[in-house]
């Protein structure tokens, strides 16, 4: 069973044998997917004189014909077999992908793996080493005959490296990928659909992952955005580049006709190439992100490492196209410049971390909580995140063991509630404490999978009207439930492989729904500020997520399922442990839900309910979060950890925050003074100590004042912070 409307895109099926199989492949080429219902629904009778039996007799030939008609999907080695069976000459690969690289083997490995994960397989990859360290072993480790390695004897620049790859390219179409970026799995397929419809140059949108260095080493993603969303117009290209080079796919014949990249340009060679091509060919933009660009303002990516050359290259390019620039009307010029300035103004701007807050509510069931946390800590880096674990009145080993996890992992914050307040109220405490621009409510009986954050974030990042995002799962209700899963739901053997396979074939796909289940729910910060928290009238839980989705919709936000994101869910563990009659509780909360939303009293559970026909009303639809003040001890521990790790900026941030949260506590101001003194900000430190003394004259404040006077005097100064025992550490412990 399939939708009739999809035939509008699928061309007439050629008679090659196995026509039904060929039809499904056509659907797949154009991005359509199906659901398998694991249940026998009809009787299949084999007739020895039927078409099926006749096709079986020529099975090998029919399969070869089917592969030949759908070359885009098949590996060149499979295509070679098919052409041999048919006695035909093998065609060259459909795509040639040029990957210039220099001295970045680990990043290169990830880039090449992203090419391997493409949903189309008929391509070749030319890895061109621009005079750097030997990375042939990286290419060889893929064990893939489609990847070829070319080494230049000396560094010649990006333009020359790409041109060397183009000299060896055999594909009908050409794509490019920098060695520190990657393709999303559907990049080539998305481009191919547009190219097969007659476009000669296509480009997609690109996600930009902004990285920032960590004081203790390494780096983290602090932002994910879509800076370039510019439709094609030749005028735009006169003033700036409209997309990263990785986004483009074009006919190789155009390069042969109009020339390769200009090797005299040290940078911006791609902009000049597209500008030259745009004078002769129209481009087609595909408004969908299929490329991942890593942006490192601290100077490690290809576009940031040689900024001193940009001004000279820009002047040369604009001089070359001076006549076209002169013909551009001043008003149009200002309009285009304004578009680019909005993009360029974000370059180098690092948002305040964390990007994400993950709220995990736990009541007993520590083995499940531990498995959940282990999966989060494994699969959430390298994102900038905090994990807030709210202990909802646990009586098992949870209160004893969770604080240890928080001590060992700086991303984890532990909040203890003395009694079980129920699912909505417990999560509201976590929501109140969350600082991220996106917040994820995550049940403690879940296990997340590789890439889960990226896939949950994508719908919200690409569309500001999306306020709620949920994954698919093995145990959930509604449209998020998968009919079957191919892994062991008890041992979780095969879980990651299943999730990655699904992510590849459903890359970037989403489904708009009215209702999402709160077992794993991403909430945009703007939505949280607009409608507040969960409705605590639903007690232990059930229907608070339905209620939240309705309020979000009234506030103008959409809810979507990220079909490529899979999260395992054990389900209802807390209810079982508390011996709660889940069915009875469900029906009780259904009655509360119907009463709140004025639904018919006789509407049975499980039936669709109408959407309320009224505007958003803050007095009815906004539920304030509880006031949550981070304890002073938590700030002290955070400052101590930051100083020991050499993270002065984090310590400074906490020092300001503690006086905002506890403005009348003398020890809060004393902590701020201590941090300022260690950073030799003497005036700020003195002012903080004076304020602490005005609140209360404590011995610690007087001692800190003495140290400050010594530090600012003509004589000895306070020594810098050291990791070995010193008075500053003793003061922190005392605080």
């Amino acid at each position: 069973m399939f939708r009739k409307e999809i035939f509008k895109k699928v061309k007439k099926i050629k008679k090659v044998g196995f026509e039904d199989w060929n039809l499904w492949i056509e659907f797949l080429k154009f991005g359509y997917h199906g659901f398998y219902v694991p249940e026998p629904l009809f009787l299949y009778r084999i007739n020895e004189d039927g078409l099926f039996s006749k096709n079986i007799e020529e099975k090998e030939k029919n399969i070869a014909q089917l592969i030949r008609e759908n070359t885009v999907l098949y590996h060149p080695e499979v295509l070679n077999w098919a052409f041999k069976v048919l006695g035909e000459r093998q065609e060259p690969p459909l795509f040639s992908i040029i990957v210039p690289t220099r001295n970045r083997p680990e990043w290169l490995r990830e880039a090449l793996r992203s090419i391997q994960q493409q949903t189309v397989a008929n391509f070749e990859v030319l890895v061109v080493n621009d005079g750097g360290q030997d990375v042939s072993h990286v290419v060889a480790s893929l064990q893939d005959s489609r990847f070829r390695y070319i080494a230049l004897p000396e560094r010649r620049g990006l333009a020359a490296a790409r041109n060397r790859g183009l000299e060896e390219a055999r594909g009908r179409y050409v794509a490019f990928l920098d060695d520190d970026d990657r393709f999303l799995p559907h990049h080539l397929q998305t481009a191919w659909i547009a190219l097969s419809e007659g476009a000669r140059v296509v480009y997609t949108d690109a996600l930009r992952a902004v990285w920032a260095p960590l004081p203790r080493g390494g780096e983290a993603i602090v932002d994910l955005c879509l800076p370039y969303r510019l439709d094609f117009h030749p005028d735009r290209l006169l003033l700036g580049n409209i997309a990263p080079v990785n986004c483009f796919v074009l006919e190789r014949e155009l390069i042969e006709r109009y020339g390769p990249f200009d090797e005299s340009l040290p940078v911006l060679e791609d902009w000049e190439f597209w500008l030259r091509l745009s004078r002769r060919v129209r481009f087609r933009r595909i408004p969908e992100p299929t490329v991942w660009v890593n942006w490192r303002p601290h100077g490690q990516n290809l576009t940031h490492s040689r900024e001193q050359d940009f001004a000279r290259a820009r002047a040369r390019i604009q001089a070359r196209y001076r006549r076209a620039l002169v013909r551009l009307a001043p008003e149009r010029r200002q309009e285009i410049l304004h578009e680019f300035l909005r993009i360029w103004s974000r370059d180098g701007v690092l948002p305040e971390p964390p990007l994400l807050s993950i709220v995990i509510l736990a009541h007993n069931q520590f083995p499940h909580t531990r498995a959940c946390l282990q999966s989060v800590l494994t699969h959430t880096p390298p994102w900038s995140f905090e994990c807030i674990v709210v202990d909802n009145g646990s009586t098992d080993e949870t209160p004893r063991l969770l604080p240890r996890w928080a001590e060992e992992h700086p991303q984890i914050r532990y909040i203890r509630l003395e009694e079980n307040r129920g699912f909505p109220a417990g999560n509201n405490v976590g929501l109140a404490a969350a600082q991220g621009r996106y917040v994820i409510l995550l049940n403690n009986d879940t296990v997340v999978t590789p890439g889960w954050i990226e896939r949950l974030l994508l719908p919200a990042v690409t569309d500001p009207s999306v306020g709620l995002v949920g994954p698919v799962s093995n145990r959930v209700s509604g449209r998020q439930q998968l009919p079957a899963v191919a892994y062991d739901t008890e041992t979780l053997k095969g879980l990651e492989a299943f999730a990655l396979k699904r992510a590849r074939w459903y890359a970037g796909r989403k489904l708009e729904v009215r209702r999402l289940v709160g077992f794993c729910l991403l909430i945009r910060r703007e939505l949280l500020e607009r409608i507040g928290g969960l409705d605590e009238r639903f007690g232990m839980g059930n229907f608070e997520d339905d209620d939240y989705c309705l309020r979000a919709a009234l506030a103008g936000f959409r809810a979507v399922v990220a079909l490529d994101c899979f999260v395992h869910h054990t389900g209802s563990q807390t209810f079982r442990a508390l011996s709660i009659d889940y069915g009875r509780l469900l029906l009780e909360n259904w009655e509360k839900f119907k009463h709140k939303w004025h639904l018919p009293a006789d509407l049975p559970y499980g039936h669709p309910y109408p959407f309320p026909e009224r505007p958003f009303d803050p007095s009815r639809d906004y539920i304030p979060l509880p006031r949550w003040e981070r304890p002073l001890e938590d700030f002290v521990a955070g400052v101590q950890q930051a100083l020991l790790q050499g993270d002065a900026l984090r310590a400074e941030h906490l020092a300001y925050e503690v006086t905002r949260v506890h403005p009348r506590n003398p020890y809060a101001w004393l902590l701020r003074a201590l941090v300022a003194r260690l950073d030799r900000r003497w005036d700020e430190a003195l002012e903080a100590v004076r304020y602490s003394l005005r609140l209360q004259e404590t011995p610690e404040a007087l001692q800190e004042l003495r140290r400050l006077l010594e530090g600012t005097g003509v004589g000895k100064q306070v020594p810098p912070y050291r990791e070995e025992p010193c008075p500053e550490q003793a003061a922190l412990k005392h605080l």
Side-chain angles (χ1 to χ4, degrees), residues 215-442:
R216 58 184 177 275
E219 53 185 356
I221 301 173
V222 296
D223 194 18
L224 187 67
C225 56
L226 270 173
Y228 287 90
R229 308 177 85 168
L230 299 173
D231 289 326
F232 172 74
H233 196 287
D235 289 350
R236 281 198 176 94
L237 275 162
L238 287 170
L239 296 173
N241 207 347
I242 56 176
V245 66
N246 309 319
C247 298
F248 287 85
V249 185
L250 72 156
E251 292 181 356
R252 183 164 61 91
E253 188 267 338
L254 294 174
I255 301 172
E256 295 173 349
R257 178 180 298 183
Y258 300 116
F261 294 94
D262 185 347
E263 297 184 16
S264 70
L265 292 170
V267 293
L268 299 178
E269 73 293 330
D270 54 337
W271 175 33
E272 190 281 330
F273 178 75
W274 307 126
L275 181 53
R276 186 188 340 142
L277 208 57
S278 70
R279 304 293 99 185
R280 299 166 176 85
V281 183
R282 288 195 62 81
F283 299 0
R284 177 173 168 183
R285 177 194 169 215
I286 304 170
E288 181 179 354
T290 65
V291 171
W292 179 284
V293 174
N294 289 308
W295 185 257
R296 292 175 169 87
H298 43 293
Q300 297 181 46
N301 58 301
L302 289 180
T303 56
H304 242 87
S305 58
R306 303 179 64 189
E307 287 194 14
Q308 65 273 21
D309 295 328
F310 275 45
R312 289 193 295 269
R314 181 176 295 277
R316 284 181 56 192
I317 293 170
Q318 291 187 334
R320 190 176 299 176
Y321 294 91
R322 184 175 64 253
R323 290 184 181 178
L325 276 167
V326 169
R327 290 195 297 267
L328 196 61
E331 299 82 8
R332 177 62 172 155
R333 185 188 184 101
Q334 285 301 115
E335 178 188 347
I336 296 172
L337 278 174
H338 181 69
E339 291 176 341
F340 281 115
L341 286 173
R342 281 188 305 178
I343 298 170
W344 298 335
S345 63
R346 296 191 63 172
D347 294 353
V349 176
L350 296 178
E352 276 292 317
L355 175 64
L356 297 156
S357 295
I358 302 169
V359 177
I360 300 175
L361 184 67
H363 176 78
N364 296 331
Q365 303 297 316
F366 182 75
H368 286 290
T369 305
R370 178 175 55 206
C372 177
L373 281 172
Q374 285 175 336
S375 71
V376 167
L377 293 171
T378 300
H379 299 307
T380 305
W383 295 89
S384 165
F385 76 101
E386 62 176 357
C387 184
I388 302 168
V389 184
V390 180
D391 181 355
N392 203 12
S394 295
T395 56
D396 63 353
E397 66 266 44
T398 298
R400 179 173 57 85
L401 297 178
L402 271 184
R404 295 182 186 175
W405 278 70
E407 290 176 2
E408 295 171 2
H409 303 281
Q411 303 98 326
I412 296 179
R413 292 166 59 192
Y414 174 69
I415 298 175
R416 167 72 178 170
L417 304 179
E418 294 304 321
E419 60 182 4
N420 187 347
R421 301 185 188 179
F423 186 85
N427 271 307
N428 281 346
V429 172
L431 289 173
Q435 300 174 2
R437 279 172 284 144
Y438 298 93
V439 182
I440 299 174
L441 298 181
L442 185 66

Side-chain angles (χ1 to χ4, degrees), residues 609-628:
Y609 46 81
F611 186 79
E613 297 181 0
R614 64 172 178 82
F616 179 77
D617 181 358
S619 65
R620 299 165 61 181
D621 301 319
Y622 175 77
I623 295 178
L625 291 170
R627 180 174 176 78
W628 186 83

Side-chain angles (χ1 to χ4, degrees), residues 660-672:
R660 186 189 66 80
V661 176
H662 301 281
R664 305 297 299 171
N665 190 313
Y667 288 98
W669 289 94
L670 188 55
L671 182 62
R672 181 164 169 176

Side-chain angles (χ1 to χ4, degrees), residues 643-644 678 718-729:
L643 290 174
L644 287 172
L678 294 176
V718 178
Y721 188 79
R722 310 185 297 276
E723 291 196 12
E724 60 267 29
C726 63
E728 287 78 16
Q729 285 179 313

